[in-house]
Amino acid sequence: TLSEHQQQILISALIELEKRFDYILIDTAAGIGDNVLSFIKSAQFTIVVISPEPTSLTDAFALIRVLKRQHHNQPIYVLVNMVMNYTNSIDVFKRFEAATQKYLHVKVHYLGYIPDDANIKLSVASQTPVTLKHPDSLASRCFGTLAEVLGKQLKNVTNPYGFSNFWKTQVAASPPPPRKEPESQAASSTEKELDPIEKTDRQILDVFQDQNTTRDQARGLFLSFLNAYTERFNESLLDSEILS
């Protein structure tokens, strides 16, 4: 949990990001975890990336279903990935759109597609963006078109949505982090609850962890433990087989 000071630093950093850049793209992890949902809610637009694979379609469907349950009202755009061509992407999108409309009553919008281009795999292997390594490839051209579409879409926004406002609201609504009790007080309150054996046992542990402890100090504490045990159980360990 972030302290109040750390929360203010985070909010200030987010505000600074909004001042420096025209657009901020948040690439979330897959799934429907709390972090993923929070970042989606903080954004003005949501882009769901799907592929023809059944698992991709079902995961995207589950995400939109959770967003609806949590009253997410921002527009949802769909980017179709790893398809043969534009026609193939439209077919995949139409099937996905029909399912979300029929079962969730949620409207999704087609944003574009990225082809299953071998140049992408080569670029990943060389750790170089495909738009730089293979700028004339079909994948690079599709990325360029996608950037133009996003630019035109966001250009028409009359009321930009600052995602730092979302995090301000979240911080304000969250309870303050618990105050830590001073170590001296915590130690004293804990020791009051310990019986003599437990207290001596803790002291022995501290002694063995302290490299500066002398043998006489360790022996004295060990004898204290034996005395405490004797008083508790009314028996002596000095003559027992444990010490033989």
Side-chain angles (χ1 to χ4, degrees):
T1 302
L2 297 180
S3 66
E4 184 176 351
H5 178 64
Q6 291 171 328
Q7 291 172 354
Q8 294 302 321
I9 293 177
L10 175 61
I11 297 300
S12 299
L14 296 178
I15 294 175
E16 183 62 26
L17 281 177
E18 292 175 334
K19 293 179 180 179
R20 294 178 56 188
F21 300 100
D22 295 328
Y23 311 117
I24 298 176
L25 300 178
I26 306 172
D27 183 13
T28 65
I32 53 177
D34 292 338
N35 290 335
V36 173
L37 296 175
S38 294
F39 276 112
I40 291 176
K41 293 175 184 178
S42 70
Q44 186 167 11
F45 299 102
T46 301
I47 301 175
V48 178
V49 181
I50 65 173
S51 73
E53 295 293 331
T55 53
S56 173
L57 298 174
T58 54
D59 289 347
F61 183 88
L63 173 62
I64 295 177
R65 179 175 57 192
V66 173
L67 290 174
K68 182 186 177 181
R69 289 178 178 175
Q70 297 189 5
H71 309 289
H72 179 265
N73 297 320
Q74 301 292 3
I76 298 177
Y77 294 88
V78 175
L79 176 65
V80 188
N81 191 24
M82 301 180 64
V83 289
M84 294 182 293
N85 47 43
Y86 170 76
T87 302
N88 185 204
S89 73
I90 290 297
D91 291 339
V92 174
F93 171 76
K94 289 295 184 182
R95 287 189 282 117
F96 184 73
E97 179 190 35
T100 57
Q101 186 68 42
K102 179 178 180 180
Y103 297 105
L104 301 179
H105 306 290
V106 174
K107 177 64 177 177
V108 295
H109 310 276
Y110 178 81
L111 183 63
Y113 79 101
I114 302 298
D116 187 9
D117 191 341
N119 290 305
I120 295 180
K121 298 178 181 178
L122 295 175
S123 299
V124 172
S126 64
Q127 298 183 351
T128 306
V130 67
T131 54
L132 298 179
K133 189 172 183 62
H134 302 284
D136 297 327
S137 65
L138 179 58
S140 294
R141 295 199 299 271
C142 285
F143 277 119
T145 301
L146 176 62
E148 293 177 2
V149 171
L150 287 174
K152 291 179 180 178
Q153 182 68 34
L154 296 175
K155 187 177 180 180
N156 297 326
V157 175
T158 57
N159 185 23
Y161 174 83
F163 77 111
S164 61
N165 294 329
F166 172 84
W167 295 106
K168 283 182 182 179
T169 304
Q170 293 292 103
V171 169
S174 61
R179 295 182 60 184
K180 292 184 178 180
E181 186 179 2
E183 294 184 0
S184 59
Q185 295 182 11
S188 61
S189 61
T190 303
E191 289 180 358
K192 292 179 181 178
E193 299 174 359
L194 300 178
D195 62 55
I197 293 180
E198 292 173 327
K199 188 182 300 183
T200 308
D201 188 37
R202 171 171 293 185
Q203 292 174 344
I204 291 175
L205 181 61
D206 293 337
V207 165
F208 285 123
Q209 289 177 343
D210 186 359
Q211 297 180 354
N212 298 321
T213 302
T214 65
R215 174 179 290 187
D216 290 340
Q217 290 175 319
R219 184 175 182 274
L221 278 173
F222 185 70
L223 292 177
S224 297
F225 175 80
L226 294 180
N227 291 333
Y229 189 97
T230 301
E231 292 177 2
R232 166 68 70 84
F233 299 102
N234 196 24
E235 58 181 275
S236 175
L237 292 178
L238 297 178
D239 298 328
S240 67
E241 295 179 358
I242 296 179
L243 298 180
S244 62

